[in-house]
Amino acid sequence: MPETIIELRGVHKAFAEHVVYRDMNLQVYTGETLTVIGGSGQGKSVCLKLMTGLLRAEQGEVLFDGEDVGEMGQRQLVALRRRMSMVFQGGALFDSMNVLENVGYALKEHTKMSDAEILARALECLELVGLGSDPNLIYRMPASLSGGMRKRVAIARSIAIKPEVILYDEPTTGLDPMNCNVIAHMILKLQRELGVTSIVVTHEMPLAFEVSDRIAMLHDKHFPFQGTPDELHRMSEPAVKDFIEGRVEEGDEGHGA
Amino acid sequence: MGESIREAIEWTGGLVRLLLIALGQGVRRPYGIYDIFYQIVAQGVRSLPLTFVMSLFIGMVLTYQFGEALMWFGAKNAVGSAASLALVREIVPVILALTVGAKIATGMTAELGSMKVSEQIDAIASLGADPVKKLVWPRIVAATVALPFLSVLGNIIAMASGGVIADMVFDVPFAYFYETYVTQLTPFDYISGLLKSLVFGVLVGLIGCYQGFETKFGTEAVGISTTKTVVAISIVILFTDFVMTMMFLPV
């Protein structure tokens, strides 16, 4: 039995009237890549934000390494985020800072590294995400980067602090197929080379099947279907089959709000 | 009706909560001196042209109106005394808060709102920094410092432009206008005007940031928040001005 690093137990989360999770349970094992799939607007990203403490659950526990994230104060959250970083949908790079300042941001906040050390670490991270060839890149502003580059810089920013867990929120949304492949390879590569635990939220099945050790499918406000990619392929539940094969489920279209 | 009252109370509560958090975070090291100076330049220095133009015309218009009214009583020589009290205690701080202050606040809302919808504020938190400390604290401090300074400048310009009108239109010599203007004022008049600017500065920074943080999803939401900021600034500034005037001028 592998070690559990993150565990969500009986989580209930709602925004006003809109219930996102009801009695939801999910486990993440150390070192694995878990992909969370499900339709748009069902609250897959909420799951990541619960894990990193950006949102709090109304009921239930969100445990990281045995400690309840929901109970953490500011200082403990900072310590948590030293170990777990998040790659946001669209990158969420800071518009007012250049690439170097973006990638070095967490190092400036968390460590006492000198500017030279931060520069060296930033270049190392950009190299890891395949952006090491252009020496002037670090002085460019996010607005001047392409979508694929922005995502990669965002990944570089998240790994700069050497986290144990990386949360990817829709890492390939809005990218062309080639860039999607690049990102998928990068997720695999980072997991291999850094040994991190990765949690990927996506609705793109090729990505999910390519990078995952396990897949959890969000359905009816919890994760009833969990398993390896092969197991998911073999499942006979119509909901799973429909989703994987991209068929529209009757009456399920309205959930996209 | 009940709904909007409840919303107003919730809004005020959110504002107070943000102010308390910002103060609690801000007084701890590091104070973010660089960010504060950057914001003072970004908000204060870039508001100098608008401050100049607003004060210029306020001084002229108000002196013109008072001069006209006082002529009826054959008391146009008192125009300096009348204009000084209204300008220093009331008009300059309030008009500057409503124009320059609204400009500063909407700028903050648009900037922070865009950061909110593109998840940059969440990103700051997830990279181990505190968004209130990083974004709200320097902006509130900067606005609180900038607005009184702009108000002092505005007072000088309004007095000068008023003097020109008194001299040219009403034949009250500039020197005499200045003399009556200054002798009419007590130190407390200056202080009360500055205190108003100070409080308006806090409110401008606070409302600008709060509306930015409260922005919901999508680019449309940024526009909605920004519009709300203008409305909120107008109402809150005038309400606060009324309360402070009653406090400063007990009958």
Side-chain angles (χ1 to χ4, degrees):
Chain A
M1 186 72 185
E3 209 180 312
T4 304
I5 185 149
I6 300 173
E7 185 171 9
L8 290 87
R9 269 193 226 148
V11 167
H12 183 90
K13 176 76 194 164
F15 296 99
E17 309 290 288
H18 181 67
V19 178
V20 178
Y21 292 122
R22 189 176 290 133
D23 194 22
M24 178 266 271
N25 296 289
L26 186 66
Q27 279 190 327
V28 185
Y29 304 120
T30 308
E32 74 167 345
T33 299
L34 172 75
T35 301
V36 172
I37 60 171
S40 299
Q42 290 190 9
K44 300 188 298 295
S45 307
V46 173
C47 172
L48 297 183
K49 290 185 178 171
L50 287 170
M51 290 177 186
T52 190
L54 289 170
L55 293 173
R56 286 172 200 246
E58 275 105 48
Q59 278 170 37
E61 292 172 309
V62 179
L63 301 171
F64 178 83
D65 215 359
E67 284 179 69
D68 194 340
V69 176
E71 303 286 307
M72 286 183 180
Q74 189 59 29
R75 203 161 294 178
Q76 291 155 297
L77 280 176
V78 171
L80 167 79
R81 290 164 187 167
R82 176 86 174 74
R83 302 173 63 189
M84 168 156 58
S85 68
M86 178 154 173
V87 180
F88 287 87
Q89 194 173 356
L93 296 176
F94 304 128
D95 292 323
S96 56
M97 300 180 185
N98 64 27
V99 169
L100 174 62
E101 289 164 328
N102 263 291
V103 176
Y105 193 92
L107 300 172
K108 269 225 156 70
E109 288 301 323
H110 281 297
T111 70
K112 292 191 163 50
M113 284 166 80
S114 69
D115 286 354
E117 286 169 318
I118 290 178
L119 174 67
R121 178 74 188 135
L123 289 173
E124 196 184 320
C125 293
L126 289 169
E127 182 75 49
L128 264 173
V129 297
L131 290 173
S133 54
D134 179 4
N136 290 321
L137 176 81
I138 52 172
Y139 302 113
R140 285 174 64 181
M141 300 305 275
S144 73
L145 304 176
S146 71
M149 282 166 98
R150 237 177 282 164
K151 282 261 164 76
R152 282 194 267 174
V153 171
I155 294 175
R157 180 175 71 178
S158 299
I159 58 176
I161 196 76
K162 297 187 178 158
E164 296 162 41
V165 180
I166 306 180
L167 313 174
Y168 299 89
D169 189 1
E170 305 268 8
T172 57
T173 302
L175 296 183
D176 58 77
M178 203 193 81
N179 263 312
C180 288
N181 272 331
V182 170
I183 297 287
H185 282 294
M186 206 159 291
I187 294 172
L188 284 171
K189 183 176 146 198
L190 290 176
Q191 201 221 357
R192 257 196 327 267
E193 293 183 8
L194 307 177
V196 293
T197 308
S198 313
I199 300 152
V200 183
V201 157
T202 186
H203 56 257
E204 297 188 32
M205 296 318 299
L207 175 74
F209 283 117
E210 186 171 353
V211 302
S212 311
D213 296 315
R214 283 193 313 130
I215 297 178
M217 182 175 156
L218 177 58
H219 179 75
D220 197 21
K221 314 198 192 309
H222 64 302
F223 293 104
F225 313 114
Q226 300 182 19
T228 63
D230 281 343
E231 284 169 359
L232 224 72
H233 259 312
R234 285 199 301 270
M235 274 181 194
S236 53
E237 276 83 0
V240 179
K241 278 200 131 33
D242 285 348
F243 190 84
I244 291 175
E245 288 158 21
R247 278 199 298 266
V248 178
E249 209 177 304
E250 287 296 320
D252 208 38
E253 291 163 279
H255 283 296
Chain B
M1 187 63 194
E3 181 73 359
S4 30
I5 290 174
R6 197 179 57 84
E7 265 175 32
I9 291 171
E10 266 177 17
W11 185 83
T12 313
L15 219 55
V16 172
R17 196 164 56 236
L18 182 63
L19 180 64
L20 293 179
I21 297 172
L23 289 178
Q25 296 286 338
V27 295
R28 285 196 209 130
R29 278 168 187 282
Y31 305 120
I33 304 291
Y34 173 81
D35 286 335
I36 291 173
F37 269 96
Y38 179 86
Q39 287 299 326
I40 289 178
V41 172
Q43 302 167 15
V45 176
R46 291 197 191 132
S47 297
L48 286 174
L50 181 61
T51 306
F52 187 85
V53 174
M54 293 309 299
S55 314
L56 188 80
F57 283 100
I58 294 163
M60 293 199 294
V61 158
L62 201 86
T63 310
Y64 208 112
Q65 292 283 5
F66 275 135
E68 182 77 21
L70 289 168
M71 252 183 6
W72 284 91
F73 305 101
K76 65 176 184 177
N77 281 345
V79 67
S81 315
S84 67
L85 286 180
L87 281 171
V88 171
R89 287 203 302 222
E90 195 68 34
I91 308 293
V92 168
V94 171
I95 295 282
L96 287 185
L98 289 177
T99 53
V100 177
K103 167 189 172 267
I104 292 173
T106 47
M108 290 178 187
T109 304
E111 187 189 4
L112 299 187
S114 307
M115 290 182 75
K116 175 80 188 291
V117 298
S118 60
E119 294 187 303
Q120 289 178 49
I121 291 178
D122 278 346
I124 289 181
S126 82
L127 289 169
D130 185 75
V132 175
K133 170 93 186 184
K134 282 275 157 189
L135 301 173
V136 178
W137 164 251
R139 280 171 177 75
I140 292 182
V141 174
T144 310
V145 172
L147 222 50
F149 268 105
L150 293 173
S151 196
V152 169
L153 177 74
N155 271 319
I156 295 168
I157 293 164
M159 184 191 69
S161 66
V164 170
I165 290 293
D167 198 322
M168 287 171 61
V169 181
F170 298 104
D171 275 334
V172 177
F174 189 95
Y176 184 76
F177 178 87
Y178 174 78
E179 190 69 34
T180 51
Y181 195 101
V182 175
T183 46
Q184 183 65 38
L185 293 167
T186 66
F188 185 71
D189 293 324
Y190 286 112
I191 293 169
S192 72
L194 275 181
L195 269 178
K196 280 184 179 175
S197 285
L198 194 85
V199 172
F200 295 159
V202 176
L203 291 170
V204 161
L206 188 60
I207 293 172
C209 292
Y210 181 69
Q211 290 297 123
F213 271 53
E214 286 295 293
T215 304
K216 302 292 182 238
F217 308 104
T219 42
E220 195 194 358
V222 179
I224 294 172
S225 297
T226 311
T227 314
K228 270 193 191 163
T229 298
V230 178
V231 177
I233 288 282
S234 314
I235 296 172
V236 171
I237 295 286
L238 286 177
F239 174 77
T240 313
D241 180 54
F242 181 68
V243 173
M244 289 177 80
T245 302
M246 287 204 301
M247 280 162 56
F248 293 146
L249 297 177
V251 180

